[in-house]
Amino acid sequence: LLASASPRRRELLALLGLPFDTQVSEVDESARAGEDPAAYVTRLSLEKARGVAERLHESADSNASPPLASLVVAAATAVVDGPDALGKPADAGEAVAMLKRLRGQTHQVFTAITLLNRQTGETVTDLSRTARVNLALEGTPGALQPSGAVEFRQAAAQLAKPAASLEQVTGTVRL
């Protein structure tokens, strides 16, 4: 069960070829005062998984038919540009503005993934290593084109590879 509304996370999970349901987490995604990005994404990923699991448990108690998935998968990502942790863009315009801000700037990406076993309540949370990312933007402002999204996903796939050291990733997003 994927605890996310993210189309990208659904797409990545679908690549595994396993059937899954999706339940959107209703967790407040605000960072706490003084919380560093690694702690933020770790906490948020765990809260998303637990929140969805608890909601499913409550619906099972009320005789509703919850998804039968025994595993909940949740993730959280934070982009850090210098001293600023950038939040999730509210719309396409904000996403374009964020990408423009990051253009040519090396920034860091933190991602945590939590797996929660609904039968045992056991959780495993993994924080990805910090990656340095440098995106180049091409084209004129407007909607993100699929080719840019594909190239961005290719850069993101590089981030998922296990590595012993910090990895430099470069991607191009066409606007």
Side-chain angles (χ1 to χ4, degrees):
L1 179 69
L2 177 62
S4 177
S6 166
R8 299 293 171 252
R9 291 202 169 104
R10 283 194 308 266
E11 183 179 345
L12 290 170
L13 198 53
L15 289 174
L16 296 174
L18 301 172
F20 64 93
D21 286 320
T22 303
Q23 291 280 327
V24 178
S25 166
E26 296 175 0
V27 172
D28 176 8
E29 296 192 20
S30 303
R32 295 179 179 157
E35 190 172 36
D36 70 76
Y40 164 70
V41 296
T42 300
R43 175 186 59 79
L44 185 57
S45 176
L46 185 58
E47 286 181 2
K48 286 179 177 183
R50 285 183 176 156
V52 166
E54 286 172 15
R55 196 168 63 225
L56 292 174
H57 181 73
E58 290 167 5
S59 30
D61 288 345
S62 68
N63 295 324
S65 355
L68 299 175
S70 60
L71 186 66
V72 177
V73 180
T77 299
V79 176
V80 179
D81 180 29
D84 301 326
L86 307 179
K88 189 183 293 187
D91 55 36
E94 207 172 283
V96 169
M98 182 185 293
L99 290 171
K100 284 183 176 183
R101 173 185 175 164
L102 298 173
R103 174 181 42 208
Q105 301 295 321
T106 298
H107 54 282
Q108 296 178 322
V109 177
F110 295 82
T111 298
I113 299 172
T114 297
L115 303 176
L116 182 144
N117 182 322
R118 288 184 55 211
Q119 273 110 21
T120 66
E122 195 175 0
T123 61
V124 176
T125 300
D126 184 41
L127 175 68
S128 72
R129 77 223 176 290
T130 302
R132 295 190 182 278
V133 181
N134 191 326
L135 294 178
L137 297 179
E138 297 177 351
T140 57
L144 293 177
Q145 299 300 312
S147 61
V150 167
E151 290 174 5
F152 186 78
R153 283 193 300 274
Q154 289 169 345
Q158 292 178 41
L159 297 177
K161 294 178 183 174
S165 62
L166 196 61
E167 183 177 347
Q168 180 77 22
V169 176
T170 303
T172 302
V173 176
R174 288 194 179 86
L175 297 178

